[in-house]
């Protein structure tokens, strides 16, 4: 899957991707509902780059607490999404804000997903950069948390995520698509969307749900 | 109470209905705050039809997991509201989405309330169909939950609800009005709203709260 | 600090105030993330007036359950913010609504912050009065809660607050600024905002985060 | 019901009392499971005296923070049980310990129930004084909480309780018996216990559960 | 695996079984820590029989609310363990007590595991019948819950369980051993226990942990 | 304070230490109530050595996941207590068990405190080694967590703890005594215990609580 190709984010949505992943036996791919979009009007689709955070209670001598997250952001490629696991829900770890959004956006990144907190919500919305978060709060991470692993398998929002997986987010939430099945999932999702269009049209015209489901098998 | 008559949803609101229910000794009628509107600008008022869901971990042979919810939606009458109890808050049971909204709307239903999750939020908002939910997520119920009772007494959002009760929702939440007192509650609510208008006008004009409360007894 | 002077609310924001408070060693000043603005587009800055609520289960003979909260609201001075501690998150204590907002606004108050519930959200938004709350619900406090202390030290949203402290809120949350450091915090915050502007401009121009952080030391 | 008569605590138990209360339509009388006995081998039965606590964050000038709880304990009559509502579960309000147990025991009180914390667990166990609590912790209430109402209706462990109700506790939990039905509940409970004895004997002898339930209607 | 053979419960323990399951890549087999033994001195080992419960809010006409659970208990074979999924933690569903323990014990069952509540704890302990539960409370299920599936795959205490799996419990918790790997797990566990004995002896003699771990690779 | 001197653990208790810390203005020193003793009959008193854990989701190449915890245990001095911060309550991080207890005990350590899980509870109890934990479960840390800091300031059970602080635990919970005030706290606690003895004797003799409190000022 080439994440830098024109993203199909506008033509897909999480619900249909989740249904297809269910069909393929991947039933634990939707992040928990506390992970919400910063801007409900934006959809996001891209290739995962993981970061893992831990809570800390002191700064070590000479430590740059942002060292690893700076390295991750500066290494983002076009179409990539930083996925930052904070063991959320959390009230203390807030790994993302305006300046990181600005830097990531300048590298062509497709978005950011975290189960930690974000800040600078107004500015992030103004940038139209897609961010999905586990809550909003003004705290900085300095002295409260530290990114300790980059590109390792993590959990974020209750879902296992690896660098190289594809990730999709919209107003309904965030779905992780394992790299191995990404192409198949997108292909099947497009097909299912067409079926849903027919179902919707018949329902609008007043058809009974029972008849329509018997005919198309879609709900 | 005739639910198919021109709905007074625009002229009432949950806070005043809740106050009147308090006065009449029905003090447990407001759903818990995690039940929120899909669209904060819509009010909803209608007659309850209940559905009760259970969590499942497998499909039974030949089972149509949507059987009972299809029957409920196809049986909705104009002015009715499907109220779906999922034991929420839940992260797994998501009984409602775009296609059910389309079908219910086509039958003239007045809305849907659930303490489970909903999906297809963007499409539901576009339809202007009032949905109140216990969270947002992309999951389908298939293999995760099943509707097992229809038109039995249930709990939804922490409130006991029966088919035939009236239900009102707006940006402040959802209030269940027991069938026996529905007419009285609406009559009294209209009267109280007029009193509040006077109170508000005097407060805007700079009157002291203590004086206004002493005079009108409304807060 | 003169709370009735032209408020600098538009030129400050919680994230930078929180960073400055961190620098000064006040690291527990941001309210917990469940405290959210009623209207995300409004910022609020003012001098704290505290009220402490308790849950109740009956009315005492002849009790006016609103007595103390009426006294607090009628005593608000221009630029003051009522900060109402309800031990939130709570599903039962709802100390604020439209009429109190109207009265407070008429006295020139700068806003209200509570870790309890609010109601009349639509009307409060229409007034453009800044309210930050711990949830939304239609319940009245009568017979459920009572304000029992006024102008004593309390906790609200997990932060210790005293009458005379300064409080700032915006879309990112609410920050309490202890009276002793209020002037210094605002002065430093203005200075930091200028530094952030430079950092942002360089990042937008494509500079690497590592280089920019090495140069400005701001993230 | 005469609480000072020889208590039948040894011959009753919460499960059968809860069943009888269910039969009589009082279905919300069992405290939530976080309320546990300090000593699992002790049963308790007595007449309720209520106290209501609130969380505080400062001491008022000249305040004796224990004033009202001292008054309640000194007023306990033989066979009475202090029931202290703290809005539990809580991690901060700890209204009971060794010295209050000593004083209450010296007055002939039958026990104490609280949804707050207790301390001095070792000493309380040594006294064989029945205490049911919402958790264990070493904190004193001074500056953290205050008893503010005595003998008013309260909630404790999720159950509404009034002075004059009867209360029973054992290893299975705590059940509140409304004053109006106390005699009937105890009479019926004794009768049900005899039926259960027969059922148990037949099951031990290897009878099938289906047959035994068909015969005795007890489970 | 023959569950009716002399049970090795005394010679195994959950920690070593959990380690072996980890080694074999089954890393989600330990129930959540809220599932605790009724009697910490008893170990339990047996073959799973599943039951799935749902919460209810009314009795249906002529319904025997215990029907399916009676059928399950009467069908238990020697060495089997009833595993009852209630979606716990729950405060309302209490599927097990003394009479069911008596009946199950009379059939030779090896124990009961539920993430719901149990009651009659004193009597169950007196019987020495191993029960693991999600909490203690006096409530009966009648009108609150109903067993709706028997021998289907379920989740209990956060672990997926199927009829035919093996299950082990002791003071450290409960571990589910998938049927396919049961023999291998027990064989490997016995071997590991011997290695731990050597490690323990050396540590007791004062050896450094680093040296002992380097030598035996066990911790 | 010399932690290797004959420990005064038997003559002190957490409640009185907590009261003295309150008097000295250290009011956040009691761990949250979910931290419980493995054996309620043991008291523990010693000097703190901290360890900080993070959750992990993979093993790094060649990683010994126990490296740092082995180093900490092998470095324990007589009278020291390992205090392991896991961000508890947690269901996944279980840093302590029998073998570490054996090794720590062999070095003369006074105990272990963690807000994570422990396993091997039966064996730890048999050793009479004092362990205080945030829950019980059979999981090993390997691939789930890693100790990442040693002897840095941490939080454990909600309390800030530093290497060198003193820590006391018994059936009522765990109290952290900052190094600076350790001597004073112990001296004052001994004095207060004598006052409580007098109070208790008078209460047992039937004195009114109000009179006794007026006389001794102790509750």
């Amino acid at each position: 899957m080439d994440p830098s190709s024109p993203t199909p984010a506008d033509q897909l949505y999480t619900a249909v991707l989740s249904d297809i992943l269910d069909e393929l036996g991947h039933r634990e791919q939707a992040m928990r509902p506390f992970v919400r979009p910063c801007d409900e009007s934006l959809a996001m689709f891209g290739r995962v780059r993981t970061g893992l955070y831990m809570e800390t209670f002191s700064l070590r001598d000479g430590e740059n607490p942002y060292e690893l997250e700076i390295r991750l952001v500066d290494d983002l490629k076009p179409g990539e999404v930083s996925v930052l696991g904070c063991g959320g829900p959390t009230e203390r770890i807030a790994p993302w804000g305006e300046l990181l959004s600005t830097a990531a956006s300048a590298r062509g990144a497709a978005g950011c997903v975290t189960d930690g907190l974000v800040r600078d919500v107004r500015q992030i919305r103004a940038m139209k950069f897609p961010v999905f978060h586990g809550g909003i709060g003004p705290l900085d991470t300095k002295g409260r948390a530290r990114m300790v692993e980059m590109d390792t398998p993590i959990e974020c929002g209750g879902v296992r995520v690896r660098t190289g997986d594809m990730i999709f987010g919209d107003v309904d939430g965030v779905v992780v698509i394992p790299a191995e099945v990404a192409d198949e999932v997108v292909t099947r999702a497009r097909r299912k969307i067409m079926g849903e269009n027919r179902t919707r049209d018949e329902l609008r015209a007043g058809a009974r749900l029972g008849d329509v489901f018997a005919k198309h098998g879609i709900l």
Side-chain angles (χ1 to χ4, degrees), chain A:
Chain A
M1 186 130 249
D2 176 7
S4 66
S5 72
T7 85
D10 293 344
Q11 306 147 43
L12 291 172
Y13 42 96
T14 49
V16 74
L17 291 167
S18 175
D19 287 354
I20 301 300
L21 285 160
D22 273 1
E23 282 177 27
L24 298 177
H26 292 88
R27 293 178 61 84
E28 309 291 336
Q29 301 306 118
M31 289 199 181
R32 295 175 53 194
F34 76 88
V35 179
R36 295 295 304 149
C38 199
D39 180 337
E40 294 196 332
S41 72
L42 297 180
M44 176 201 73
F45 188 43
R47 184 178 169 274
V48 169
R49 295 294 301 278
T50 65
L52 182 60
Y53 282 73
M54 69 175 289
E55 206 175 7
T56 59
F57 302 94
S58 63
L59 284 176
R60 296 185 288 203
D61 282 345
E63 174 188 351
N64 170 4
Y66 310 116
E67 184 182 357
L68 209 53
E69 73 192 15
I70 287 175
R71 208 189 309 163
L72 175 62
V73 172
D74 276 341
D75 193 49
L76 288 173
K77 309 293 181 304
E80 290 188 337
V81 173
S82 53
V83 179
L84 309 177
C86 302
T90 171
E91 305 204 339
R92 238 181 91 97
I93 311 186
W96 201 259
E98 180 194 10
L99 295 182
L100 294 183
S101 295
T102 306
S105 180
R107 314 248 97 64
C112 171
V113 176
T114 179
D115 56 0
L117 305 178
V118 296
R119 61 183 207 173
D120 307 322
V121 161
R122 186 166 48 105
Q123 298 91 327
I124 292 173
R125 287 178 182 159
M127 297 169 58
K128 297 281 177 194
F129 185 72
V131 174
F132 294 75
H133 60 76
I136 295 170
L139 297 177
D140 184 44
T141 47
K142 190 174 172 181
R144 294 188 179 89
R146 188 193 300 143
M147 184 172 146
V148 276
E149 296 188 8
M150 175 169 158
D151 290 327
T152 60
I154 65 169
E155 272 187 27
C156 181
V159 177
R160 191 155 282 247
V161 196
R162 299 159 306 167
T163 286
D165 289 338
M166 299 301 291
I167 194 162
F168 189 97
D170 63 16
V171 64
D172 284 344
V174 177
V175 172
V176 177
I177 311 169
E180 311 83 84
V181 294
D183 285 323
E184 181 172 7
V185 166
V186 170
T187 306
R188 286 202 194 202
R190 292 228 173 80
R191 207 177 311 143
K192 190 177 184 205
I193 286 171
M194 285 185 288
E196 285 186 351
N197 290 341
R198 281 191 299 271
T199 302
R200 189 188 307 110
D201 291 345
E202 297 181 23
L203 290 172
R204 271 194 198 133
R208 288 171 52 85
L209 196 53
D211 300 335
V212 173
F213 180 69
K215 190 162 146 198
H216 299 294
I218 278 178
L219 207 74

mmCIF file of all heavy atoms in Angstrom, chain A residues 7 10-11 20 34 40 46 62 65 83 89 92 111 127 133 152 163 171 177 192 202 211 213 216:
data_model
loop_
_atom_site.group_PDB
_atom_site.id
_atom_site.type_symbol
_atom_site.label_atom_id
_atom_site.label_comp_id
_atom_site.label_asym_id
_atom_site.label_seq_id
_atom_site.Cartn_x
_atom_site.Cartn_y
_atom_site.Cartn_z
ATOM 1 N N THR A 7 -4.839 10.094 -1.180
ATOM 2 C CA THR A 7 -5.506 9.289 -0.161
ATOM 3 C C THR A 7 -6.985 9.158 -0.454
ATOM 4 O O THR A 7 -7.633 10.116 -0.877
ATOM 5 C CB THR A 7 -5.353 9.886 1.246
ATOM 6 O OG1 THR A 7 -6.374 10.852 1.425
ATOM 7 C CG2 THR A 7 -4.001 10.480 1.488
ATOM 8 N N ASP A 10 -11.560 10.381 1.723
ATOM 9 C CA ASP A 10 -12.909 10.925 1.595
ATOM 10 C C ASP A 10 -13.923 9.877 1.149
ATOM 11 O O ASP A 10 -15.120 10.048 1.334
ATOM 12 C CB ASP A 10 -12.920 12.074 0.590
ATOM 13 C CG ASP A 10 -12.130 13.251 1.111
ATOM 14 O OD1 ASP A 10 -11.859 13.265 2.323
ATOM 15 O OD2 ASP A 10 -11.783 14.123 0.312
ATOM 16 N N GLN A 11 -13.455 8.826 0.532
ATOM 17 C CA GLN A 11 -14.400 7.858 -0.029
ATOM 18 C C GLN A 11 -14.610 6.657 0.893
ATOM 19 O O GLN A 11 -15.408 5.785 0.597
ATOM 20 C CB GLN A 11 -13.904 7.388 -1.391
ATOM 21 C CG GLN A 11 -13.617 8.544 -2.344
ATOM 22 C CD GLN A 11 -12.463 8.210 -3.258
ATOM 23 O OE1 GLN A 11 -12.365 7.104 -3.790
ATOM 24 N NE2 GLN A 11 -11.566 9.164 -3.462
ATOM 25 N N ILE A 20 -15.466 -4.835 7.373
ATOM 26 C CA ILE A 20 -14.623 -5.704 6.538
ATOM 27 C C ILE A 20 -13.579 -6.406 7.411
ATOM 28 O O ILE A 20 -13.335 -7.616 7.258
ATOM 29 C CB ILE A 20 -13.919 -4.879 5.436
ATOM 30 C CG1 ILE A 20 -14.956 -4.171 4.541
ATOM 31 C CG2 ILE A 20 -13.002 -5.772 4.613
ATOM 32 C CD1 ILE A 20 -15.908 -5.082 3.820
ATOM 33 N N PHE A 34 -13.152 6.448 23.725
ATOM 34 C CA PHE A 34 -12.636 7.704 24.302
ATOM 35 C C PHE A 34 -11.634 8.364 23.353
ATOM 36 O O PHE A 34 -11.284 9.533 23.561
ATOM 37 C CB PHE A 34 -12.021 7.472 25.696
ATOM 38 C CG PHE A 34 -10.663 6.840 25.688
ATOM 39 C CD1 PHE A 34 -9.525 7.621 25.601
ATOM 40 C CD2 PHE A 34 -10.513 5.468 25.770
ATOM 41 C CE1 PHE A 34 -8.249 7.038 25.599
ATOM 42 C CE2 PHE A 34 -9.254 4.874 25.766
ATOM 43 C CZ PHE A 34 -8.129 5.659 25.684
ATOM 44 N N GLU A 40 -14.157 16.982 13.934
ATOM 45 C CA GLU A 40 -15.028 15.891 13.480
ATOM 46 C C GLU A 40 -15.245 15.900 11.971
ATOM 47 O O GLU A 40 -15.754 14.920 11.416
ATOM 48 C CB GLU A 40 -16.391 15.973 14.187
ATOM 49 C CG GLU A 40 -16.306 15.731 15.689
ATOM 50 C CD GLU A 40 -17.675 15.440 16.302
ATOM 51 O OE1 GLU A 40 -18.685 15.928 15.742
ATOM 52 O OE2 GLU A 40 -17.729 14.719 17.318
ATOM 53 N N GLY A 46 -3.507 6.833 6.669
ATOM 54 C CA GLY A 46 -2.069 6.849 6.459
ATOM 55 C C GLY A 46 -1.376 5.630 7.034
ATOM 56 O O GLY A 46 -2.018 4.716 7.550
ATOM 57 N N GLY A 62 20.563 16.473 32.643
ATOM 58 C CA GLY A 62 20.912 16.707 31.247
ATOM 59 C C GLY A 62 19.948 16.105 30.248
ATOM 60 O O GLY A 62 20.183 16.139 29.039
ATOM 61 N N PRO A 65 13.809 15.894 27.488
ATOM 62 C CA PRO A 65 12.649 15.008 27.591
ATOM 63 C C PRO A 65 11.933 14.798 26.265
ATOM 64 O O PRO A 65 11.084 13.931 26.157
ATOM 65 C CB PRO A 65 11.747 15.736 28.594
ATOM 66 C CG PRO A 65 12.122 17.168 28.500
ATOM 67 C CD PRO A 65 13.589 17.181 28.165
ATOM 68 N N VAL A 83 1.534 7.477 15.759
ATOM 69 C CA VAL A 83 0.574 6.842 16.667
ATOM 70 C C VAL A 83 1.272 6.683 18.014
ATOM 71 O O VAL A 83 2.220 5.903 18.137
ATOM 72 C CB VAL A 83 0.082 5.494 16.114
ATOM 73 C CG1 VAL A 83 -0.898 4.849 17.081
ATOM 74 C CG2 VAL A 83 -0.571 5.684 14.751
ATOM 75 N N PRO A 89 -6.972 5.670 28.817
ATOM 76 C CA PRO A 89 -7.097 7.082 29.185
ATOM 77 C C PRO A 89 -6.127 7.495 30.287
ATOM 78 O O PRO A 89 -5.891 6.751 31.227
ATOM 79 C CB PRO A 89 -8.540 7.205 29.666
ATOM 80 C CG PRO A 89 -8.976 5.825 29.999
ATOM 81 C CD PRO A 89 -8.176 4.903 29.147
ATOM 82 N N ARG A 92 -2.489 12.737 32.537
ATOM 83 C CA ARG A 92 -1.182 13.329 32.781
ATOM 84 C C ARG A 92 -0.276 13.378 31.562
ATOM 85 O O ARG A 92 0.601 14.227 31.480
ATOM 86 C CB ARG A 92 -0.480 12.500 33.864
ATOM 87 C CG ARG A 92 -0.074 13.270 35.090
ATOM 88 C CD ARG A 92 0.610 12.328 36.041
ATOM 89 N NE ARG A 92 2.028 12.306 35.815
ATOM 90 C CZ ARG A 92 2.912 13.013 36.517
ATOM 91 N NH1 ARG A 92 2.492 13.768 37.499
ATOM 92 N NH2 ARG A 92 4.189 12.957 36.250
ATOM 93 N N GLY A 111 -1.377 12.736 9.723
ATOM 94 C CA GLY A 111 -2.137 12.953 10.957
ATOM 95 C C GLY A 111 -1.409 12.419 12.161
ATOM 96 O O GLY A 111 -0.252 11.980 12.072
ATOM 97 N N MET A 127 -5.270 24.567 11.478
ATOM 98 C CA MET A 127 -4.345 23.996 10.490
ATOM 99 C C MET A 127 -4.979 22.907 9.637
ATOM 100 O O MET A 127 -4.375 22.456 8.662
ATOM 101 C CB MET A 127 -3.144 23.367 11.206
ATOM 102 C CG MET A 127 -2.284 24.318 11.991
ATOM 103 S SD MET A 127 -1.118 23.341 13.013
ATOM 104 C CE MET A 127 -0.307 22.404 11.708
ATOM 105 N N HIS A 133 -7.378 11.975 19.611
ATOM 106 C CA HIS A 133 -6.771 12.065 20.930
ATOM 107 C C HIS A 133 -7.634 11.386 21.994
ATOM 108 O O HIS A 133 -8.810 11.110 21.770
ATOM 109 C CB HIS A 133 -6.585 13.526 21.305
ATOM 110 C CG HIS A 133 -7.896 14.250 21.332
ATOM 111 N ND1 HIS A 133 -8.806 14.103 22.356
ATOM 112 C CD2 HIS A 133 -8.450 15.115 20.461
ATOM 113 C CE1 HIS A 133 -9.867 14.845 22.098
ATOM 114 N NE2 HIS A 133 -9.678 15.472 20.959
ATOM 115 N N THR A 152 8.378 0.469 17.695
ATOM 116 C CA THR A 152 8.122 -0.859 18.262
ATOM 117 C C THR A 152 6.616 -1.104 18.287
ATOM 118 O O THR A 152 5.831 -0.167 18.222
ATOM 119 C CB THR A 152 8.660 -0.958 19.699
ATOM 120 O OG1 THR A 152 7.998 0.028 20.504
ATOM 121 C CG2 THR A 152 10.157 -0.735 19.758
ATOM 122 N N THR A 163 4.335 -0.154 13.440
ATOM 123 C CA THR A 163 4.823 0.662 12.327
ATOM 124 C C THR A 163 4.618 -0.135 11.038
ATOM 125 O O THR A 163 4.967 -1.303 10.981
ATOM 126 C CB THR A 163 6.313 0.993 12.548
ATOM 127 O OG1 THR A 163 6.390 1.979 13.588
ATOM 128 C CG2 THR A 163 6.965 1.536 11.291
ATOM 129 N N VAL A 171 -15.141 10.776 12.048
ATOM 130 C CA VAL A 171 -15.989 11.159 13.174
ATOM 131 C C VAL A 171 -16.432 9.941 14.005
ATOM 132 O O VAL A 171 -16.747 10.068 15.191
ATOM 133 C CB VAL A 171 -17.206 11.966 12.681
ATOM 134 C CG1 VAL A 171 -18.090 11.113 11.780
ATOM 135 C CG2 VAL A 171 -18.016 12.522 13.848
ATOM 136 N N ILE A 177 -5.644 -1.004 10.493
ATOM 137 C CA ILE A 177 -5.703 -2.047 9.472
ATOM 138 C C ILE A 177 -4.331 -2.706 9.381
ATOM 139 O O ILE A 177 -3.376 -2.082 8.925
ATOM 140 C CB ILE A 177 -6.094 -1.449 8.100
ATOM 141 C CG1 ILE A 177 -7.325 -0.538 8.258
ATOM 142 C CG2 ILE A 177 -6.341 -2.558 7.081
ATOM 143 C CD1 ILE A 177 -7.626 0.303 7.022
ATOM 144 N N LYS A 192 -18.394 -2.787 -0.607
ATOM 145 C CA LYS A 192 -19.515 -2.781 0.340
ATOM 146 C C LYS A 192 -20.239 -1.434 0.335
ATOM 147 O O LYS A 192 -21.463 -1.374 0.468
ATOM 148 C CB LYS A 192 -19.025 -3.095 1.756
ATOM 149 C CG LYS A 192 -20.214 -3.325 2.693
ATOM 150 C CD LYS A 192 -19.894 -3.726 4.113
ATOM 151 C CE LYS A 192 -21.226 -4.006 4.833
ATOM 152 N NZ LYS A 192 -21.170 -3.850 6.271
ATOM 153 N N GLU A 202 -33.384 2.213 -1.090
ATOM 154 C CA GLU A 202 -34.646 1.476 -0.949
ATOM 155 C C GLU A 202 -35.327 1.803 0.377
ATOM 156 O O GLU A 202 -36.543 1.924 0.451
ATOM 157 C CB GLU A 202 -34.385 -0.034 -1.075
ATOM 158 C CG GLU A 202 -33.836 -0.399 -2.456
ATOM 159 C CD GLU A 202 -33.596 -1.896 -2.622
ATOM 160 O OE1 GLU A 202 -34.238 -2.683 -1.890
ATOM 161 O OE2 GLU A 202 -32.766 -2.280 -3.472
ATOM 162 N N ASP A 211 -37.331 -6.760 4.496
ATOM 163 C CA ASP A 211 -37.232 -7.121 3.080
ATOM 164 C C ASP A 211 -35.878 -6.716 2.511
ATOM 165 O O ASP A 211 -35.235 -7.466 1.781
ATOM 166 C CB ASP A 211 -38.353 -6.420 2.295
ATOM 167 C CG ASP A 211 -39.734 -6.835 2.801
ATOM 168 O OD1 ASP A 211 -39.841 -7.951 3.368
ATOM 169 O OD2 ASP A 211 -40.675 -6.036 2.670
ATOM 170 N N PHE A 213 -33.052 -6.213 4.078
ATOM 171 C CA PHE A 213 -31.950 -7.028 4.606
ATOM 172 C C PHE A 213 -31.952 -8.416 3.975
ATOM 173 O O PHE A 213 -30.906 -8.976 3.653
ATOM 174 C CB PHE A 213 -32.048 -7.122 6.134
ATOM 175 C CG PHE A 213 -30.954 -7.942 6.746
ATOM 176 C CD1 PHE A 213 -29.641 -7.496 6.742
ATOM 177 C CD2 PHE A 213 -31.221 -9.191 7.315
ATOM 178 C CE1 PHE A 213 -28.608 -8.260 7.296
ATOM 179 C CE2 PHE A 213 -30.202 -9.958 7.858
ATOM 180 C CZ PHE A 213 -28.900 -9.480 7.849
ATOM 181 N N HIS A 216 -30.375 -7.733 0.376
ATOM 182 C CA HIS A 216 -28.972 -7.315 0.234
ATOM 183 C C HIS A 216 -28.049 -7.869 1.322
ATOM 184 O O HIS A 216 -26.826 -7.821 1.176
ATOM 185 C CB HIS A 216 -28.889 -5.777 0.247
ATOM 186 C CG HIS A 216 -29.623 -5.118 -0.860
ATOM 187 N ND1 HIS A 216 -29.260 -5.251 -2.180
ATOM 188 C CD2 HIS A 216 -30.739 -4.332 -0.874
ATOM 189 C CE1 HIS A 216 -30.097 -4.565 -2.953
ATOM 190 N NE2 HIS A 216 -31.014 -4.006 -2.175
#
